Amino acid sequence: MSALEPRVPSGSDSTVPVQSPQPPPGGIMEPAYRALSIGIISVIFLIAFEATAVGTAMPVAARELDGIALYAFAFSAYFTTSLFAMVLSGQWSDRQGPLRPLTVGIGAFAAGLVCSGTAGAMWVFVLGRAVQGFGGGLVIVALYVVVSRAYEERLRPAIMAAFAASWVVPSIVGPLAAGTVTEHLGWRWVFLGIPALVIVPLAIALPAIRRTASGPVEGGGGPAAFDGRRIRLALGISAGAALLQYAAQDLRWLSLLPGVVGAALLVPAVLGLLPRGTYLARRGLPSVVLLRGVAAGSFIAAESFVPLMLVTQRGLSPTLAGFSLALGGVTWAAGSWVQSKGRTAPYRERLMVLGMVMVAFAIAAAPAVLVESVPVWTLALAWGVGCLGMGLVIGSTSVLLLKLSPPQEAGTNSAALQISDALANVVLLAAGGAAFAALGGGAVGAAGHAVAAGASHPTAFVVVFLPMAAVALVGAWVATRLDPA
């Protein structure tokens, strides 16, 4: 019997407690870990490819299905169902192990792609995106629990770095490949091609997950009932986020009502689902969760306006504007690689403070290209610096979360981390989009991309970037509070 095989009788089901595997020497690609690492990294790679490619095919799909009016809902439907699924996956993984939510999640993700790819009407397309979002929410949290259970603590930074690296090629190649497929074969093949590709990583990963991470945590007393209160809060956070996104997309007085109702649902749900003291930046786990939201929200909200600024203010083509961010994928992976090295572990908190300062610098420097004499390439360099900082921070928050989480709470806390990430994106993008529109910009869709409505005033961009830079600086302070001592 190998060191990674569970010490349970042959043929026993996945609800029997599994002992933690003995840590073999070497890294994540050593024979004992190789199949598991290749499998889950491949899953992340395919999810990343889909995420970067779908934005290219989506406008063509909406136009062909005569569904431009529902275009934003194709994105918000994904987000809304994924929030609920994150909470469900956290409970499911803690109680019965990550194998089942991961399997169901990948199945739902593939089914959603097929539903959208075969849709004959826009509402069916949106339904497919909702199913896909449900699967994506299950998968991302279950993968965190797999990492918590199957990898010893010293290897977790490395597997998180591998997750980040899995986004580099898709972020560069995905839009180009999707554009080529859409042009020559049709947009449907962008959605229909990915489910077939999932079969191979599944065949590799699932047996390894069953050996190393299935079943409830040993000593946890067996599977427990689902927490009905948290499930209700999950429904509240999903409904609240959906209403808030709707209000942000339609800046009229009438939209205040769904916005207020959404906030009324969202606030108590967030307070109930995130660790106590999160929004007070209490030391330890609450600050880790808060930092993830502050970092992701400020950076992604600002990044969504970069291509629009380059197109409307400096006259770049959409392709060139998109490629101005390509360097960021490489530097993000580099930052994640730096935090994964054992010799940097003692300085992790300091690196995260530095990372947030780099993020703040990049966001604050971006509107400098509004000045005609400033070369456009300076923004690409500045954004590369910001992405380097994000690589340091995002990978480290994942590592610290698993370090500070008892095994039986890894799923619940991983769900909280993902909720903080996703909600901060929505809230800060909605706030930035409202300020942008109020000062002469266009509208902001639920896809997380600014959409021009005529000529945008340069000041509209400034009031987006500078507040987001300030939020990132707050994140640098939060990063000083990660040590629970």
Side-chain angles (χ1 to χ4, degrees):
M1 178 179 290
S2 72
L4 284 184
E5 289 179 349
R7 297 176 182 175
V8 294
S10 176
S12 59
D13 66 36
S14 62
T15 62
V16 177
V18 178
Q19 293 188 1
S20 299
Q22 297 298 317
I28 62 172
M29 287 301 172
E30 287 297 309
Y33 290 111
R34 187 175 298 151
L36 178 62
S37 297
I38 291 175
I40 62 177
I41 290 171
S42 298
V43 170
I44 292 290
F45 179 87
L46 291 174
I47 291 175
F49 185 84
E50 186 278 335
T52 56
V54 71
T56 303
M58 195 77 76
V60 180
R63 186 167 58 247
E64 183 176 311
L65 296 173
D66 195 23
I68 297 298
L70 298 177
Y71 179 77
F73 291 99
F75 292 95
S76 59
Y78 183 103
F79 169 78
T80 300
T81 54
S82 69
L83 275 175
F84 174 77
M86 288 172 188
V87 179
L88 178 63
S89 183
Q91 290 209 31
W92 199 352
S93 297
D94 283 342
R95 284 153 177 77
Q96 299 181 12
L99 181 62
R100 292 178 181 175
L102 182 62
T103 305
V104 172
I106 292 177
F109 190 83
L113 285 168
V114 172
C115 182
S116 293
T118 57
M122 191 62 182
W123 71 267
V124 179
F125 186 91
V126 172
L127 175 64
R129 291 287 292 166
V131 174
Q132 189 184 345
F134 180 79
L138 289 177
V139 168
I140 188 63
V141 173
L143 284 178
Y144 269 63
V145 179
V146 170
V147 171
S148 173
R149 294 193 183 192
Y151 294 87
E152 56 179 307
E153 186 175 322
R154 68 181 180 85
L155 293 178
R156 292 173 189 166
I159 192 65
M160 291 301 174
F163 284 0
S166 299
W167 282 80
V168 175
V169 173
S171 66
I172 297 173
V173 176
L176 179 61
T180 302
V181 170
T182 299
E183 181 178 350
H184 295 285
L185 297 178
W187 63 267
R188 296 182 186 275
W189 288 103
V190 175
F191 293 86
L192 296 176
I194 294 175
L197 299 177
V198 173
I199 296 174
V200 173
L202 270 185
I204 296 173
L206 292 184
I209 294 172
R210 185 176 184 85
R211 289 196 305 271
T212 61
S214 62
V217 176
E218 183 179 359
F226 282 85
D227 186 339
R229 176 178 172 273
R230 293 187 69 85
I231 296 298
R232 290 191 295 272
L233 289 175
L235 290 171
I237 204 172
S238 296
L243 290 170
L244 195 63
Q245 288 178 97
Y246 175 80
Q249 293 164 29
D250 187 16
L251 297 179
R252 298 181 299 171
W253 287 110
L254 289 176
S255 298
L256 286 176
L257 179 59
V260 170
V261 174
L265 290 171
L266 204 59
V267 172
V270 170
L271 293 177
L273 290 172
L274 299 189
R276 188 182 299 273
T278 295
Y279 289 107
L280 297 175
R282 188 171 295 168
R283 286 191 172 276
L285 183 64
S287 286
V288 172
V289 172
L290 176 60
L291 179 60
R292 177 60 164 260
V294 168
S298 60
F299 188 79
I300 300 303
E303 186 179 60
S304 69
F305 288 88
V306 169
L308 179 64
M309 181 171 63
L310 294 177
V311 170
T312 61
Q313 304 299 313
R314 297 304 298 266
L316 269 66
S317 69
T319 301
L320 285 178
F323 274 120
S324 69
L325 303 178
L327 175 64
V330 177
T331 58
W332 189 312
S336 192
W337 177 82
V338 169
Q339 67 80 34
S340 74
K341 310 309 291 181
R343 58 180 175 272
T344 64
Y347 311 102
R348 185 175 300 280
E349 285 79 6
R350 296 180 188 178
L351 285 175
M352 296 173 79
V353 173
L354 174 62
M356 289 309 304
V357 171
M358 295 167 73
V359 170
F361 162 77
I363 297 173
V369 297
L370 294 169
V371 179
E372 286 290 335
S373 60
V374 176
V376 172
W377 55 261
T378 60
L379 186 145
L381 291 181
W383 216 250
V385 171
C387 286
L388 179 63
M390 287 294 286
L392 293 171
V393 173
I394 298 300
S396 291
T397 55
S398 301
V399 171
L400 286 177
L401 177 110
L402 296 179
K403 179 180 179 180
L404 296 173
S405 298
Q408 65 273 18
E409 297 177 8
T412 297
N413 291 340
S414 297
L417 190 76
Q418 297 299 326
I419 289 171
S420 178
D421 186 317
L423 276 181
N425 283 337
V426 168
V427 172
L428 291 179
L429 182 61
F436 181 73
L439 290 180
V444 179
H449 298 286
V451 182
S456 301
H457 195 280
T459 307
F461 292 100
V462 175
V463 298
V464 171
F465 285 102
L466 294 188
M468 294 305 161
V471 172
L473 283 178
V474 171
W477 171 75
V478 175
T480 66
R481 302 180 58 78
L482 305 180
D483 189 343

